[in-house]
Amino acid sequence: MTTPFEPRLLAGPPPASGPERLEEHRARLGALPPSTDRRDVISVVEASGLLGRGGAGFPVGRKWRAVAEHSAGDAVVVVNGAEGEPRSAKDRVLMEHRPHLVLDGAAAAAEAVGAPDVILYVGTEHTAARRVLAHAIAERERESGVRVHLVAAPVGYIAGEATAVVHYLNAGDARPTFLDARPHERGVAGRPTLVQNVESLAQAALITRFGDEWYREVGRGATRGSALITVSGANGRPTVREIEYGTPVGEVARLSTAASSASAVLLGGYFGAWTSFDDVRDEPLDPVRMRERELGFGCGVVSFSGPDTCGVAATAEIMTYMAGATAAQCGPCVYGLADIAQAVRRLADGTAPDRDLERIGGWAAQVDGRGACHHPDGAIALLRSALRVFADDFARHQARRRCPAGRAAVA
Amino acid sequence: MAQVLRLDPIRCDGYGVCAVHLPERITLDEWGYPVIEPGPVPERLLSRARRAADACPVLALSLRQAAVAPATTGSRAGIRPARTGA
Ligand SMILES: Cc1cc2nc3c(=O)[nH]c(=O)nc-3n(C[C@H](O)[C@H](O)[C@H](O)COP(=O)(O)O)c2cc1C
Ligand code: SF4
Ligand code: SF4
């Protein structure tokens, strides 16, 4: 088989020893190499094939180039540390334990796109992460370079969406916008803006040091490199691990008590998809492969649930959350998700009128792709996967029989 | 030059006036919000498409030149739902 994978982002002192200090970080990894030509750094990141880790998997180098093309040395880099996804914890692990890797990545990006300002946009509820980052910024105070600002992001799923981030930083309103100009053209203060996920930037910090070929040395399939995942289940607390892309779901399960007796798994988080565990046991966690199978790597959530979990109740819980998390701006998203959530809830409770299941399908078709942002699309993708994977559960609930063995909602 | 109808789903309040002017391309969903046929508006419907856009009380609908190339980054390249691929 393969040689064991050595963590990269999570190399260094164990998490229990707290945040890595600047001296430790520099002693371990050295300073960021001095920049030569902006384009050079961008080419290296492009050649690495690094994909964004906020969920969309957009190529990072291509985004840097787009911002650089619009920048006259006046761009803004926003580090997206909102991490609103309820089942994800990986950005927090980086911010709390490897703050200087995140700051290095932001500095490399700022250099590459021509940005005098970096804004760390970190969820208000992530208090430890904000405290550690504030300290890390202070440790670097006397170094010249970019200005780094720390901003507390409002709580909520939507607050991390790129246009909502820019809107909040400009006007204190963390709702998505629908403007002709994208953030990379006109974002914060009207300047070209790079909105990039925390992990994407931490990866870029390593690529800037060790190069694209080094980055591509790990990985078991088409997608190269490593990624953080958050593994959770009914038992135990969520754990964050680093894997090489292409690691099969079954292998992740073996490493985790969360997976004991798993029967279903949620891949990619609330924008992702449920699958039966048997179907994906050998499935590699590789964004390219997963896409072909109508799955998504998303932000790296791998959440197991056991046979005692009721798929309908679990879906009701998630859809209720998603309906409550809209920015209340676009009709089909607001009313459609609310109708769907209520119907799934009725099904879960065994109080659904005869046609509810059918109507859910009809609503889903009317909601998909109809909002200013991708929130409704993600929610509908998840719903459809649940209707497939838990088809038997849904049918039984529609027939108004109680849930077999009174299974719990806990996913 | 091909023209397309563009709806701003944030502005749209679902009055449905637009659909009255151009039922061939605009239908209303269950909640009264317009569903717009994608793609260029055929020549013969252009004047009515313009009227539909002008009739919108909140300026949510516009008739505009079809984009040359799709946007690659930014708002609409946010999280992609897992199942729609690239
Ligand atoms: C509803 C919604 C919520 C989002 N929340 C986050 C988030 O909490 N953190 C994040 O990095 N990206 C989030 N995104 C994705 C961002 O829009 C954006 O694509 C991302 O920050 C870009 O960074 P990346 O290319 O490095 O992934 C969200 C997208 C949507 C549609
Ligand atoms: S699609 Fe939904 S979440 Fe996105 S801006 Fe519109 S109402 Fe808000
Ligand atoms: S007329 Fe305007 S507000 Fe009314 S449904 Fe059409 S686009 Fe929406």
Side-chain angles (χ1 to χ4, degrees):
Chain A
M1 255 207 30
T2 41
T3 47
F5 165 70
E6 291 288 332
R8 296 171 151 198
L9 293 172
L10 299 183
S17 58
E20 190 174 31
R21 308 268 162 215
L22 184 59
E23 319 86 77
E24 299 173 84
H25 168 77
R26 292 263 163 87
R28 187 167 67 83
L29 292 168
L32 264 190
S35 62
T36 42
D37 177 17
R38 274 195 209 179
R39 302 273 152 181
D40 257 334
V41 180
I42 296 179
S43 301
V44 171
V45 175
E46 272 179 337
S48 74
L50 175 63
L51 301 174
R53 300 296 159 77
F58 189 84
V60 173
R62 210 192 303 168
K63 200 156 162 183
W64 287 19
R65 193 173 292 284
V67 176
E69 272 162 12
H70 286 86
S71 170
D74 63 340
V76 176
V77 170
V78 179
V79 181
N80 193 348
E83 194 160 58
E85 163 65 44
R87 298 197 193 193
S88 177
K90 52 119 184 154
D91 292 338
R92 253 162 297 162
V93 164
L94 282 176
M95 293 187 283
E96 290 173 20
H97 300 288
R98 297 291 179 271
H100 289 290
L101 203 54
V102 177
L103 292 177
D104 278 354
E111 178 89 50
V113 304
D117 291 284
V118 166
I119 301 173
L120 306 173
Y121 181 82
V122 184
T124 299
E125 68 276 35
H126 309 329
T127 46
R130 285 191 292 119
R131 184 167 21 83
V132 171
L133 285 170
H135 182 83
I137 295 167
E139 282 183 289
R140 294 170 170 229
E141 193 119 67
R142 277 170 296 110
E143 298 176 9
S144 59
V146 295
R147 288 183 293 268
V148 183
H149 318 261
L150 180 59
V151 173
V155 178
Y157 202 82
I158 278 295
E161 194 273 339
T163 66
V165 173
V166 169
H167 197 195
Y168 183 75
L169 295 172
N170 281 338
D173 182 350
R175 292 182 299 173
T177 55
F178 192 76
L179 304 171
D180 286 331
R182 308 280 190 275
H184 75 271
E185 297 161 327
R186 238 174 302 137
V188 175
R191 291 151 58 180
T193 300
L194 177 75
V195 180
Q196 199 88 70
N197 172 262
V198 162
E199 183 193 347
S200 310
L201 290 168
Q203 292 279 12
L206 295 178
I207 292 167
T208 308
R209 282 188 173 83
F210 306 122
D212 52 301
E213 285 179 16
W214 169 85
Y215 178 77
R216 299 180 65 80
E217 276 167 14
V218 298
R220 299 191 196 171
T223 311
R224 311 302 303 167
S226 71
L228 296 185
I229 58 173
T230 310
V231 185
S232 60
N235 320 316
R237 296 201 314 159
T239 51
V240 173
R241 290 180 186 284
E242 184 172 358
I243 57 158
E244 57 181 333
Y245 276 130
T247 304
V249 176
E251 196 174 313
V252 169
R254 280 195 295 281
L255 295 170
S256 170
T257 53
S260 57
S261 79
S263 60
V265 51
L266 173 63
L267 297 175
Y270 285 10
F271 271 13
W274 284 103
T275 61
S276 117
F277 181 45
D278 282 337
D279 280 355
V280 291
R281 213 180 276 275
D282 302 320
E283 185 66 21
L285 288 166
D286 178 318
V288 174
R289 252 304 286 272
M290 290 172 83
R291 203 166 275 163
E292 287 163 12
R293 286 207 48 182
E294 301 207 322
L295 296 169
F297 185 82
C299 57
V301 164
V302 181
S303 188
F304 297 98
S305 69
D308 53 345
T309 296
C310 171
V312 180
T315 307
E317 208 165 278
I318 296 177
M319 293 312 292
T320 303
Y321 177 89
M322 293 304 259
T326 77
Q329 299 195 106
C330 314
C333 174
V334 176
Y335 298 109
L337 290 185
D339 279 348
I340 289 168
Q342 282 158 21
V344 179
R345 173 65 63 200
R346 287 194 295 269
L347 282 163
D349 295 345
T351 60
D354 279 349
R355 287 185 52 248
D356 256 3
L357 196 48
E358 228 174 280
R359 291 165 77 203
I360 289 173
W363 286 327
Q366 293 178 72
V367 169
D368 201 4
R370 304 269 317 285
C373 78
H374 282 303
H375 182 76
D377 320 357
I380 294 305
L382 181 115
L383 171 76
R384 287 183 171 145
S385 72
L387 292 173
R388 262 194 324 270
V389 173
F390 304 122
D392 294 347
D393 284 355
F394 272 97
R396 269 197 288 269
H397 277 258
Q398 176 69 87
R400 279 193 245 184
R401 269 190 260 138
R402 296 307 302 177
C403 188
R407 289 186 287 170
V410 190
Chain B
M1 190 50 101
Q3 307 246 73
V4 293
L5 280 166
R6 178 180 190 261
L7 177 77
D8 179 338
I10 294 177
R11 284 194 177 206
C12 173
D13 282 329
Y15 293 103
V17 190
C18 53
V20 176
H21 289 279
L22 195 64
E24 297 91 336
R25 315 266 314 166
I26 307 175
T27 52
L28 298 180
D29 68 15
E30 253 180 90
W31 307 282
Y33 290 86
V35 180
I36 296 173
E37 187 78 18
V41 179
E43 197 73 36
R44 67 191 166 82
L45 295 177
L46 274 178
S47 64
R48 283 203 287 124
R50 169 143 316 286
R51 225 173 302 150
D54 289 346
C56 174
V58 292
L59 307 177
L61 192 65
S62 56
L63 187 65
R64 50 170 72 192
Q65 222 87 275
V68 188
T72 50
T73 64
S75 74
R76 256 127 287 149
I79 281 189
R80 299 266 170 181
R83 291 169 13 78
T84 56

